[in-house]
Amino acid sequence: MAKIEIDSQQALENLLVEGAPVLHEVVFQGLDLRRHSQHLCGIFLRGCVFLGCRVDTQLAGHLTEQGCLFYPPVPDKPYDPFRTGLYSVEELYDTFDPHAIDLTASYRTTTDFKIYASYRIPDDPEGRIRPVLVDETLARRIHDNSIADALDEFIDQFPHRSVVAVMGGHAVARTDKLFGDIARLTRNLKRKGFLPASGGGPGLMEATNLGAYLAPYPDEALERSLEILEKAPTFRSGGNWLAQAFQVRHLYPYRQGGESLGIPTWFYGHEPANLFSSHIAKYFENSWREEGLLALAKGGILFAPGGAGTVQEIFQDACQNYYTTYGLQSPMIFYPRSYWDGPEAAFPVYPVMQKLAAKGGFASLLAITDNLQEIEALLEAVSPGLSNP
């Protein structure tokens, strides 16, 4: 029997109103149960789990007597290990003031930076992770598990094979033609019912989420936004990189139909999460993040110019396709041709992919092109019948 997960007050109210004398295999997560203490103390709780719930002394005793697993809230941390949803821009950048005189100082007041600073040592030339005891390590693992759970719930709202990811360099400037091209591509894909996803950071990750964010607006909204963003070309522009993005968000507030997914990590916390992902699954552990993003993109992955990280993701995705790790194989599209194939290619990995795909039975899902419209057609062919959200 599958466990039932209760992670909202409404779900809790609905469960308790049924008046069942026994609750079996129920997981309660991130809830304040104190006002329901009397009710819960009158119920047999078989195999129930309580994660990060607030309880009073009476209920705590009852949970112990019933043999329930109970993980109390973890105090004094800038993050909630037992959170029940994904992050938003508003939550991570809660105190950022795009009009501040010192934009970098303003960013350092945000929840995003506070969590980063609890994990890695800011401004450390070696980028060292802070030494911690096992309690902090466990809290981070619980946090990442909670994010993974929330991410699964979010993805379940979308059609099968609708998630398409773009992998590419974090250092690609907003002024680069490639940045605009990727944004136009993901805008079109979003309008066709796909859910664009990225690593959630700057560069081509930002371009991916930007295109989806502006999908509900007329085409000229993207061109105007690119003009604004170009004033701070890369994330190394400091707080101004964020400020220009906030200006775009002010000019074009989020609208339904602009959903996209960003999956960044505090492991690379010096690269801020971009402001155009409607839903942000931010992890501590980069390995969880990379594996998860590749696994979720059942609609296909576009590999755009990048460095070692992008090359690693290519082979990781090829391995998933080769062994059909997640029950299906998905498209691997390389753009542009000159970056991935030929004597002048920066990383000529495409011939190797052809050999792997031929042996692994996914050659029909492998493509390399210089044409963005062809990319759209290839993805649509694998995921026909998607309806706009």
Side-chain angles (χ1 to χ4, degrees):
M1 178 179 177
K3 290 183 182 292
I4 300 172
E5 186 173 301
I6 303 296
D7 60 7
S8 71
Q9 286 296 328
Q10 186 59 59
L12 177 63
E13 300 281 353
N14 294 342
L15 179 70
L16 296 182
V17 78
E18 296 174 4
V22 178
L23 291 178
H24 184 67
E25 300 285 305
V26 179
V27 178
F28 298 84
Q29 184 173 351
L31 298 170
D32 188 342
L33 301 175
R34 290 173 294 182
R35 69 187 182 94
H36 300 286
S37 179
Q38 195 69 30
H39 190 155
L40 287 167
C41 283
I43 298 175
F44 289 101
L45 303 168
R46 295 178 180 170
C48 292
V49 179
F50 294 79
L51 304 176
C53 294
R54 301 184 70 182
V55 303
D56 59 20
T57 303
Q58 182 185 16
L59 182 53
H62 182 63
L63 299 184
T64 301
E65 291 172 358
Q66 297 284 302
C68 297
L69 278 177
F70 174 46
Y71 297 85
V74 180
D76 304 322
K77 296 192 184 302
Y79 61 93
D80 178 9
F82 300 99
R83 60 178 300 115
T84 58
L86 300 178
Y87 288 101
S88 66
V89 168
E90 291 78 9
E91 182 178 3
L92 290 177
Y93 293 107
D94 48 354
T95 58
F96 182 75
D97 178 5
H99 304 293
I101 295 174
D102 189 338
L103 292 168
T104 299
S106 181
Y107 166 62
R108 290 184 173 227
T109 68
T110 65
T111 292
D112 185 60
F113 184 82
K114 289 175 181 176
I115 298 175
Y116 168 54
S118 75
Y119 182 47
R120 303 190 80 106
I121 303 172
D123 305 320
D124 183 78
E126 298 178 7
R128 289 174 295 175
I129 294 176
R130 288 188 184 278
V132 294
L133 299 177
V134 67
D135 62 323
E136 179 66 27
T137 300
L138 287 173
R140 292 174 185 168
R141 297 297 186 273
I142 292 170
H143 169 277
D144 284 1
N145 184 73
S146 298
I147 290 293
D149 184 54
L151 182 55
D152 287 343
E153 292 179 0
F154 173 67
I155 294 298
D156 283 346
Q157 302 173 47
F158 295 88
H160 182 60
R161 281 193 180 272
S162 63
V163 180
V164 292
V166 177
M167 304 297 183
H170 67 274
V172 175
R174 291 164 165 173
T175 52
D176 195 306
K177 179 180 180 297
L178 183 61
F179 186 96
D181 286 345
I182 294 299
R184 294 181 191 94
L185 171 67
T186 55
R187 177 188 62 191
N188 294 347
L189 291 173
K190 180 58 191 172
R191 289 172 176 174
K192 293 178 178 181
F194 288 95
L195 178 69
S198 81
L204 293 185
M205 294 176 279
E206 181 184 39
T208 300
N209 298 118
L210 173 67
Y213 180 90
L214 293 171
Y217 286 93
D219 288 358
E220 55 265 25
L222 177 54
E223 307 311 314
R224 174 66 182 127
S225 297
L226 291 173
E227 292 175 0
I228 294 170
L229 294 174
E230 286 174 357
K231 296 175 183 177
T234 76
F235 73 96
R236 300 194 186 281
S237 305
N240 196 35
W241 182 83
L242 289 173
Q244 296 305 122
F246 266 103
Q247 186 176 335
V248 170
R249 287 178 60 92
H250 178 75
L251 188 60
Y252 302 108
Y254 173 75
R255 287 182 178 177
Q256 190 72 21
E259 297 87 0
S260 72
L261 176 63
I263 309 185
T265 171
W266 283 292
F267 185 81
Y268 295 130
H270 63 287
E271 300 175 10
N274 74 67
L275 273 62
F276 300 109
S277 308
S278 64
H279 294 76
I280 303 172
K282 194 158 189 177
Y283 290 91
F284 286 103
E285 289 301 315
N286 187 49
S287 57
W288 283 38
R289 168 244 198 174
E290 286 186 342
E291 178 76 11
L293 179 54
L294 293 168
L296 289 171
K298 294 181 172 63
I301 297 179
L302 172 65
F303 295 99
T310 305
V311 172
Q312 173 184 316
E313 289 157 352
I314 290 169
F315 283 93
Q316 195 169 351
D317 189 43
C319 189
Q320 290 183 4
N321 270 347
Y322 190 93
Y323 293 109
T324 320
T325 307
Y326 295 100
L328 53 77
Q329 295 169 321
S330 56
M332 297 179 67
I333 303 174
F334 293 79
Y335 172 86
R337 181 181 295 272
S338 61
Y339 196 84
W340 302 112
D341 193 15
E344 303 299 322
F347 298 106
V349 300
Y350 192 70
V352 178
M353 291 300 107
Q354 287 180 300
K355 292 182 179 181
L356 277 172
K359 190 172 182 180
F362 60 98
S364 63
L365 296 171
L366 194 69
I368 187 166
T369 181
D370 293 318
N371 189 302
L372 294 172
Q373 287 70 39
E374 186 178 346
I375 293 171
E376 292 181 38
L378 289 167
L379 293 171
E380 286 183 279
V382 175
S383 306
L386 285 179
S387 59
N388 287 317

